[in-house]
Amino acid sequence: MHDDLKVAAKSVNYWSGVTTLVPLFGGFIADAYLGRFKTVLASSIIYLLGLILLCMSWFAPSLRPCDTKSCHGPRKIHEVVFFLAIYLVSIGTGGHKPALESFGADQFDDDHPEERKQKMSYFNWWNFGLCCGLLLGVTVVVYVQDHVSWGVADIVLTAVMAVSLVIFIVGRTNYRYRKPTGSPLTPMLQVLVAAIAKRSLPHPSDPAQLYEIPKSERSMEGFCATPRISNFSTRRRS
């Protein structure tokens, strides 16, 4: 871009700030409205479009910085397309980053002992894959950028993203889906209002009453409670 250090640092800070904050909105939209699968799918498509546009800004003759090998300054169209591309990647990250890991965790049932163990293993493999991706990004991709070209490195990233999107779509018939639960702010406000309204109630003697119990235990309690009520009613009638 031939920017001086101050302008370049400001551009990087703006992009990094947007990339860091957008996942907050992406996670909110996934949980409240779209659901995690649709959020991951839509954000992955936006992410891929940004990478494709980034490749075009390097290879398309009309979008290249200039027509010569050495440029004193890029053309305006190149700057527009380049920044549009990287901010599309940023927006794609906003939905992809918070929803994908959670969507993977949705595939396991916490009330099933074996699946609970598999869920722990899933998070271990997820972090392992994430660290491997970061390692390849700062070694192999950077090497290609420095010794081949930025355009070739962009093609590698675009191809990896395209393959991952295809794999994600192919498995859609085997996924477990969790419906959106509405705005997460609503139950938070309900808890706050309930806590203020019931602040004078006595503390329960059994601390277990302050926590939720698993669904399996609730179903067993309901199953056991029915006969006791029936027996009591029978004795009263007799």
Side-chain angles (χ1 to χ4, degrees), residues 199-210:
R199 64 186 183 277
S200 59
L201 293 179
H203 190 279
S205 58
D206 184 9
Q209 297 180 9
L210 298 175

Side-chain angles (χ1 to χ4, degrees), residues 6 9 11 33 41 47 62 65 69 77 83 85 98 122-123 140 150 159-160 163 167 174 177 191 198 204:
K6 183 185 297 185
S11 298
Y33 302 108
L41 180 61
Y47 200 125
S62 59
K69 291 185 178 181
I77 184 63
F83 281 106
Y122 157 75
F123 282 115
V140 176
W150 285 81
V160 171
V163 171
I167 294 173
N174 299 317
Y177 300 90
V191 170
K198 299 180 180 181

Side-chain angles (χ1 to χ4, degrees), residues 59-224:
F59 290 104
S62 59
L63 301 179
R64 287 180 60 84
C66 58
D67 296 327
T68 58
K69 291 185 178 181
S70 59
C71 301
H72 297 290
R75 291 183 291 192
K76 190 65 178 179
I77 184 63
H78 175 77
E79 289 190 55
V80 172
V81 172
F82 174 79
F83 281 106
L84 178 61
I86 63 173
Y87 276 99
L88 281 176
V89 171
S90 181
I91 294 173
T93 302
H96 189 275
K97 188 175 182 179
L100 184 59
E101 183 178 5
S102 300
F103 181 70
D106 289 343
Q107 309 309 306
F108 304 93
D109 187 1
D110 283 332
D111 295 320
H112 192 282
E114 187 63 30
E115 291 195 19
R116 193 183 303 119
K117 294 179 181 179
Q118 293 174 353
K119 187 175 182 178
M120 296 297 295
S121 178
Y122 157 75
F123 282 115
N124 290 335
W125 281 106
W126 172 273
N127 287 313
F128 175 76
L130 184 64
C131 292
C132 289
L134 292 172
L135 180 62
L136 292 174
V138 299
T139 54
V140 176
V141 176
V142 172
Y143 179 86
V144 174
Q145 289 173 342
D146 290 341
H147 294 84
V148 184
S149 73
W150 285 81
V152 174
D154 293 339
I155 290 177
V156 172
L157 297 175
T158 304
V160 171
M161 188 65 194
V163 171
S164 65
L165 179 58
V166 170
I167 294 173
F168 179 73
I169 294 175
V170 167
R172 68 188 183 279
T173 57
N174 299 317
Y175 296 144
R176 292 175 177 173
Y177 300 90
R178 177 174 295 182
K179 293 182 179 180
T181 56
S183 174
L185 299 179
T186 302
M188 292 175 60
L189 293 176
Q190 290 175 342
V191 170
L192 180 62
V193 172
I196 295 174
K198 299 180 180 181
R199 64 186 183 277
S200 59
L201 293 179
H203 190 279
S205 58
D206 184 9
Q209 297 180 9
L210 298 175
Y211 304 95
E212 289 190 32
I213 60 176
K215 294 180 181 178
S216 57
E217 294 184 17
R218 289 202 297 267
S219 61
M220 287 300 295
E221 288 184 357
F223 177 78
C224 296

